[in-house]
Amino acid sequence: MQKALETPYYAVIFTSQRTDGDQGYGEAADNVVSIVSKFEGFLGAESVRDSNGLGITISYWESMAHIDKWRQNAVHSSAKSMGRETWYSSYRIRICEVKYENSFQHPEHQ
Amino acid sequence: MQKALETPYYAVIFTSQRTDGDQGYGEAADNVVSIVSKFEGFLGAESVRDSNGLGITISYWESMAHIDKWRQNAVHSSAKSMGRETWYSSYRIRICEVKYENSFQHPEHQ
């Protein structure tokens, strides 16, 4: 799980439904992850996809300006085009300001 | 997928790791969903859990005040106690203001 971050920071919630088959998705996703993880202002991400292809990925950012810069990145743009053409039947993106966070760790499951 | 909502609105991001076994979780989760879906200010939710028990659930709300009211609800509080004692090895909650949203629907996958 993501380490604690000082609020406010920013989140991009990406909820998506994958189409069937890989179609180059796995390799492209690995490539995007390796680039974004070194991108200025990137604080981390959480991602879950179930067996029906419904997924939620949330990336966390220092500022809205950093999110805008990432939006203009060429690898990101190219992945976005492939996403619309091939990988996703639908998706929704939400840009949020994180105002407050709190976490719990069970003492017997450290 | 969630219908489009007018910004700003509010999101509660709940990222959690389930412990093994059901232990009453399924029934309690159904109960919480049936109550929250009629709760004032509730706009909807999205939830995904993978086969390793990592889950992201996001609920959407009209205002921070509505989120606070839900936090004080008895059924919610009781589920929270069971969550900490039994169902989750760890979780993180983030309260966010959604500033912008955008969606995509593939024309061949309506």
Side-chain angles (χ1 to χ4, degrees):
Chain A
M1 191 162 293
Q2 198 61 38
K3 64 171 192 269
L5 298 169
E6 207 173 310
T7 54
Y9 57 96
Y10 298 84
V12 180
I13 303 173
F14 181 72
T15 307
S16 63
Q17 180 62 53
R18 281 277 282 116
T19 49
D20 293 337
D22 185 70
Q23 304 188 91
Y25 173 80
E27 197 182 330
D30 289 348
N31 191 29
V32 167
V33 167
S34 87
I35 290 167
V36 78
S37 62
K38 293 171 223 142
F39 208 81
E40 199 192 336
F42 177 76
L43 299 174
E46 293 168 332
S47 192
V48 179
R49 191 171 302 280
D50 70 16
S51 54
N52 297 317
L54 178 66
I56 299 178
T57 296
I58 311 176
S59 59
Y60 300 103
W61 298 86
E62 279 177 30
S63 75
M64 296 286 275
H66 288 110
I67 294 171
D68 269 347
K69 269 209 171 165
W70 171 241
R71 198 194 305 212
Q72 292 158 37
N73 175 271
V75 174
H76 184 203
S77 292
S78 145
K80 206 154 129 183
S81 298
M82 277 298 288
R84 294 173 80 105
E85 280 162 33
T86 308
W87 297 323
Y88 301 115
S89 55
S90 61
Y91 64 73
R92 188 174 299 273
I93 293 172
R94 293 177 172 92
I95 315 281
C96 310
E97 180 183 334
V98 182
K99 294 179 167 290
Y100 168 83
E101 73 162 67
N102 186 21
S103 69
F104 164 77
Q105 173 72 55
H106 196 289
E108 288 164 32
H109 297 96
Q110 295 286 2
Chain B
M1 190 162 294
Q2 197 61 40
K3 65 170 191 267
L5 297 169
E6 208 173 310
T7 54
Y9 58 97
Y10 298 83
V12 180
I13 302 174
F14 181 72
T15 306
S16 63
Q17 181 62 53
R18 282 277 282 117
T19 50
D20 292 337
D22 185 70
Q23 304 187 91
Y25 173 80
E27 196 181 331
D30 289 348
N31 191 28
V32 167
V33 167
S34 86
I35 290 166
V36 77
S37 62
K38 293 172 224 145
F39 208 82
E40 198 192 336
F42 177 77
L43 299 174
E46 293 168 332
S47 192
V48 179
R49 191 170 301 279
D50 70 16
S51 54
N52 297 316
L54 177 65
I56 299 177
T57 296
I58 311 175
S59 59
Y60 299 103
W61 298 86
E62 279 176 31
S63 75
M64 297 286 274
H66 287 110
I67 293 171
D68 270 347
K69 270 208 169 165
W70 171 239
R71 199 193 307 209
Q72 292 159 36
N73 175 273
V75 174
H76 185 203
S77 291
S78 145
K80 207 153 129 184
S81 298
M82 277 297 289
R84 295 172 81 104
E85 281 162 32
T86 309
W87 298 324
Y88 301 115
S89 54
S90 62
Y91 64 73
R92 188 174 300 272
I93 293 172
R94 293 176 171 93
I95 315 280
C96 310
E97 180 183 334
V98 182
K99 293 178 167 293
Y100 168 83
E101 74 163 68
N102 186 21
S103 69
F104 165 76
Q105 174 72 56
H106 196 290
E108 287 165 31
H109 297 96
Q110 295 287 4

